[in-house]
C-alpha cells in the first residue's frame, strides 16, 4: 500500500469490503480512522497475525489515521513478558510503528471494574452463584431457550456487596461470577446472560496479585476499544456471533465512542499449523527447535529462516481480505520471497552434494581469478572475482556416468560450460573398490574463456562449481513444509513431516567468508539461503535454505 492517498480512486485497486465500511462510516473524515492490533501475549506471533497487522496498520496508514498496539492481557494464567517483548519485536520488524500508542488492557482493569459497578447499579448485571456445570444446563441449546438463573433477581445492593467481596478475595475460584442481564431466550447464545467477570486467584504478569477477578474477553474487548477511541475493531470471523454482545457492551458502558466491529476470515495455510496453542505444544514437546525454528510459521521462525518483511507484506497483500474461510497454498509465500530476493541478493556458487572434478590439462599450481556478475538481474550489483584452478567441486546431480535421454549436463565425452569459466569435457572417472565414483576427470578448452578466439560452438548445460582449494565449508539446512497435510483425517492431529529438515555439508565460493548472521544469498541453480542466527559461530557457517529456486507455484 502506498503511504498517501489523494483520492479514493487511488486505492480502488486495493479495496476490500472493510474499506467500503470505513469509507461509508467516515466519509470525508477518513483520517479519523483508529484501529488496533490486539494480541494476547500468550505465545509468539505467526503469519496469521501478520495478516491482521498488515490490515490494521495498513488501513490506518492508508487513510492517515492511527493504529494502536494493544496487549490484550486480561487472562493472567497463560501470559508472559517474554511474549510481550517478542510481539513488539515482530511488529517492528514487519515494518509497522505504533509510535506512542502502546497499550495494555490490564492498565484498564480499574475502568472495567467501574463499568461493571455501573451495570450493577442500573440493574444490568448480577452476581450468580451457579457452578460452571449448572450454568451450562441453564443456558439451553441452539434450539431451546435458556432458563433464568435463580440469582438473577438479586437486589442491586446485594449484587454490589457480593461483587465487592469477589473483588476483595473473599470467595474461591469458580464460586461466583458477574453476569450481564440480557436475555436467556435470545436465539444468540452469546446474549444469554453472558459471564463478564470471573474469580481467578492468579498472578498477573503486569498487575501482580492486585486483582483476583478478571473480565471476560467479550466484556473487556469492546471496552478497550471504547477507551482508546477505536473506530473500527477488525477481528476474525469466529467473533461474528459475538457482535451483538460487543454492541451491547458499547451501548451500555456509558462512554461515548462507538467502535464498529468488522470480521474477516483468518489465514489458514497448507502444511502448517496456525494456532498459538498448537505451536506452543510443538515447542513444549520439543518437536521443534523453539518458537523460532525455521520451519515454524511464526514471525520469528520466518525471520530466522530468511524471509523478509517485504515478502511477508507482499504475501498479505496478495491473499486479500474476505469473509470466506479458505486455505492458502504455502508455496505462495515462497513465491513472494523469491520475488523479493531475486534482484536484491548476491548469486553465488555453492555445491551441496560435492564430487571432485580434476581438470587434467590445466596447469598444476595455476590459479585464475574470474569476474562473475553478482546478480544477472541487477547489473548495479557489479562483479566479483572467483578463483579457478585444476581441482573443483560440482554437484553430484550434475554428472551421470550413463546419461538418460535429455540429460544435458556432464557425462563421459560430453562437453558443458562451467559458469563464468571454461568449457570442460569429461574424459574419465576414478572409482573406489565398491565401484563408487570418487572423482571425475575432464579436459578444458583454454579458447572458451569469454572473449579469446572461441569458435562459437554451443553447449547445452552450464554448471556451477566451486574451486576446491579455496572452498568454504558450511552446513546447509534444507527445509520442507513442517506438517504433512492430513487429508484422510482432516480433524485429526497433524503430523510433523519427517523430511522437514535435512542437514548437509556444502562447499561455497570464498566470497561468503565474511557473511554475517542474517545475510542472504542465492546459491546458483539451487535456492535462496540465509546465514542462521542461532548456530553460526566464528568457526562454523550455517545456512538455512529459505526456499528452493523452483516450485510448482505459478502466479501471474
Ligand atoms: P491463535 O488462535 O493462533 O491463538 P488468537 O486469535 O487467539 O490466535 P490473538 O493474540 O488473540 O490470537 O490475536 C491477535 C489478533 O490477530 C486478533 O485480532 C486475531 O483476530 C488476529 N489473528 C489471529 N490469528 C489470525 C489468523 N490466522 N489470521 C488472521 N488474523 C488472525
Ligand atoms: Mg485469542
Amino acid at each position: 500500500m502506498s503511504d498517501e492517498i489523494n483520492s479514493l480512486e487511488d486505492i480502488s485497486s486495493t479495496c476490500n469490503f472493510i474499506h467500503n465500511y470505513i469509507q461509508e462510516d467516515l466519509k470525508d473524515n477518513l483520517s479519523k480512522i483508529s484501529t488496533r492490533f490486539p494480541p494476547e501475549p500468550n505465545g509468539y506471533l505467526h503469519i496469521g497475525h501478520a495478516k491482521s497487522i498488515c490490515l490494521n496498520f495498513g488501513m490506518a496508514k492508508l487513510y492517515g489515521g492511527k493504529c494502536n498496539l494493544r496487549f490484550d492481557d486480561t487472562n493472567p494464567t497463560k501470559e508472559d513478558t517474554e511474549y510481550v517483548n517478542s510481539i513488539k519485536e515482530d511488529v517492528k520488524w514487519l515494518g509497522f510503528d505504533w509510535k506512542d500508542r502502546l497499550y495494555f488492557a490490564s492498565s484498564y482493569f480499574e475502568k472495567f471494574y467501574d463499568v461493571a459497578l455501573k451495570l450493577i447499579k442500573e440493574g444490568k448485571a448480577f452476581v450468580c452463584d451457579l457452578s460452571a456445570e449448572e450454568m451450562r444446563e441453564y443456558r439451553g441449546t441452539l434450539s431451546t431457550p435458556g432458563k433464568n438463573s435463580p440469582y438473577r433477581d438479586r437486589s442491586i445492593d446485594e449484587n454490589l456487596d457480593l461483587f465487592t467481596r469477589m473483588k476483595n478475595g473473599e470467595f474461591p475460584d469458580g464460586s461466583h461470577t458477574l453476569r450481564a442481564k440480557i436475555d436467556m431466550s435470545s436465539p444468540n447464545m452469546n446474549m444469554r446472560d453472558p459471564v463478564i467477570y470471573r474469580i481467578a486467584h492468579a498472578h498477573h504478569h503486569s498487575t501482580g496479585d492486585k486483582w483476583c477477578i478478571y473480565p471476560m474477553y467479550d466484556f473487556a474487548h469492546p471496552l478497550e476499544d471504547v477507551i482508546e477511541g477505536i473506530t473500527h475493531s477488525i477481528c476474525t470471523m469466529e467473533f461474528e456471533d459475538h457482535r451483538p454482545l460487543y454492541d451491547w457492551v458499547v451501548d451500555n458502558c456509558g462512554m461515548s465512542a462507538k467502535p464498529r466491529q468488522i470480521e474477516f476470515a483468518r489465514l489458514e495455510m497448507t502444511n502448517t499449523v496456525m494456532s498459538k496453542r498448537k505451536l506452543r505444544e510443538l515447542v513444549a514437546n520439543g518437536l521443534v527447535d523453539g518458537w523460532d525454528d525455521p520451519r515454524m510459521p511464526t514471525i520469528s521462525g520466518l525471520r530466522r529462516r530468511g524471509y523478509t518483511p517485504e515478502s511477508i507484506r507482499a504475501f498479505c497483500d496478495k491473499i486479500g481480505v474476505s469473509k470466506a474461510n479458505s486455505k492458502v497454498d504455502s508455496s505462495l509465500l515462497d513465491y513472494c520471497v523469491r520475488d523479493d530476493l531475486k534482484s536484491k541478493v548476491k548469486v553465488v556458487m555453492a555445491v551441496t552434494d560435492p564430487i571432485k572434478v580434476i581438470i587434467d590439462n590445466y596447469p598444476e599450481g595455476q590459479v585464475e581469478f574470474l569476474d562473475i556478475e553478482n546478480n544477472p538481474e541487477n547489473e548495479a550489483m557489479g562483479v566479483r572475482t572467483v578463483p579457478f584452478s585444476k581441482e573443483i567441486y560440482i554437484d553430484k546431480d550434475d554428472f551421470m556416468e550413463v546419461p538418460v535421454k535429455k540429460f544435458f549436463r556432464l557425462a563421459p565425452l560430453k562437453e558443458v560450460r562451467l559458469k563464468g569459466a571454461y568449457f570442460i569435457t569429461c574424459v574419465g572417472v576414478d572409482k573406489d573398490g565398491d565401484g563408487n565414483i570418487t572423482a571425475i576427470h575432464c579436459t578444458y578448452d583454454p579458447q572458451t574463456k569469454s572473449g579469446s578466439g572461441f569458435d562459437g560452438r554451443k553447449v547445452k548445460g552450464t554448471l556451477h562449481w566451486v574451486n576446491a582449494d579455496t572452498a568454504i565449508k558450511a552446513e546447509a539446512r534444507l527445509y520442507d513444509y513442517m506438517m504433512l497435510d492430513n487429508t484422510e483425517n482432516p480433524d485429526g492431529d497433524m503430523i510433523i513431516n519427517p523430511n522437514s529438515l535435512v542437514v548437509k555439508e556444502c562447499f561455497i565460493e570464498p566470497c561468503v567468508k565474511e557473511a554475517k548472521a542474517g545475510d542472504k544469498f542465492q546459491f546458483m541453480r539451487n535456492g535462496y539461503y540465509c546465514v542462521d542466527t542461532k548456530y553460526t559461530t566464528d568457526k562454523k557457517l550455517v545456512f538455512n535454505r529459505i526456499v528452493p529456486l523452483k516450485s510448482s507455484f505459478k502466479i501471474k
Side-chain angles (χ1 to χ4, degrees), residues 227-455:
I227 291 166
E228 292 175 18
I230 299 302
T231 58
H232 294 84
S233 179
I234 301 169
C235 64
T236 40
M237 286 311 290
E238 67 270 26
F239 293 104
E240 193 174 32
D241 288 346
H242 298 236
R243 192 179 341 126
L245 178 52
Y246 181 97
D247 291 339
W248 185 91
V249 174
V250 168
D251 291 341
N252 288 284
C253 71
M255 289 180 269
S256 58
K258 298 276 178 242
R260 174 176 186 169
Q261 175 179 303
I262 304 173
E263 309 85 19
F264 72 101
R266 60 197 298 129
L267 171 65
E268 295 289 341
M269 286 171 76
T270 55
N271 297 94
T272 191
V273 286
M274 196 77 82
S275 121
K276 273 184 285 183
R277 184 180 58 77
K278 289 186 182 163
L279 295 171
R280 207 184 304 116
E281 263 170 41
L282 293 176
V283 175
N285 296 335
L287 294 170
V288 292
D289 182 26
W291 285 97
D292 67 348
D293 184 304
R295 291 167 296 181
M296 293 274 271
T298 51
I299 307 293
S300 50
L302 295 168
R303 175 168 59 234
R304 187 172 149 207
R305 171 99 160 242
Y307 286 88
T308 56
E310 291 85 349
S311 64
I312 295 173
R313 294 200 304 263
F315 171 78
C316 291
D317 250 13
K318 282 198 197 316
I319 56 177
V321 175
S322 83
K323 279 195 175 275
N325 285 316
S326 68
K327 242 185 193 185
V328 175
D329 197 312
S330 285
S331 60
L332 177 60
L333 181 60
D334 297 348
Y335 165 83
C336 291
V337 76
R338 277 187 211 107
D339 194 49
D340 181 40
L341 294 180
K342 72 174 182 235
S343 57
K344 279 189 187 167
V345 300
K346 239 186 211 176
V347 181
V348 302
M349 296 194 286
V351 171
T352 49
D353 234 335
I355 176 111
K356 191 169 265 185
V357 173
I358 302 161
I359 303 168
D360 294 340
N361 61 340
Y362 195 86
E364 194 83 46
Q366 176 173 308
V367 185
E368 280 178 87
F369 291 90
L370 309 167
D371 282 346
I372 299 187
E373 75 275 8
N374 282 326
N375 186 322
E377 307 232 4
N378 183 355
E379 226 175 280
M381 288 181 69
V383 295
R384 69 186 180 286
T385 50
V386 182
F388 179 81
S389 65
K390 191 176 177 75
E391 294 194 0
I392 61 171
Y393 293 109
I394 64 167
D395 259 311
K396 271 190 188 139
D397 270 5
D398 282 335
F399 177 77
M400 279 186 102
E401 195 178 11
V402 184
V404 293
K405 229 177 159 186
K406 295 205 170 156
F407 183 79
F408 298 123
R409 292 167 274 164
L410 197 61
L413 301 177
K414 289 272 163 48
E415 188 172 50
V416 296
R417 177 193 288 110
L418 291 177
K419 170 71 190 175
Y422 297 95
F423 287 12
I424 56 169
T425 304
C426 171
V427 292
V429 294
D430 293 339
K431 289 188 178 174
D432 63 14
D434 299 326
N436 301 311
I437 298 174
T438 53
I440 301 167
H441 287 268
C442 289
T443 56
Y444 84 117
D445 177 355
Q447 301 273 292
T448 52
K449 186 175 171 184
S450 42
S452 57
F454 168 56
D455 64 7

Side-chain angles (χ1 to χ4, degrees), residues 35-37 57 66-70 101 103 228 230:
T35 58
R36 83 290 171 263
F37 173 63
F57 279 94
K66 292 178 182 144
C67 181
N68 301 349
L69 174 61
R70 177 207 305 150
R101 292 184 303 278
Y103 299 115
E228 292 175 18
I230 299 302

Side-chain angles (χ1 to χ4, degrees), residues 111-132:
K111 290 186 176 142
F112 298 158
Y113 182 73
D114 288 344
V115 173
L117 289 179
K118 174 185 151 63
L119 292 177
I120 295 174
K121 286 178 193 155
E122 291 173 359
K124 292 174 184 163
F126 65 99
V127 172
C128 185
D129 303 359
L130 292 180
S131 66

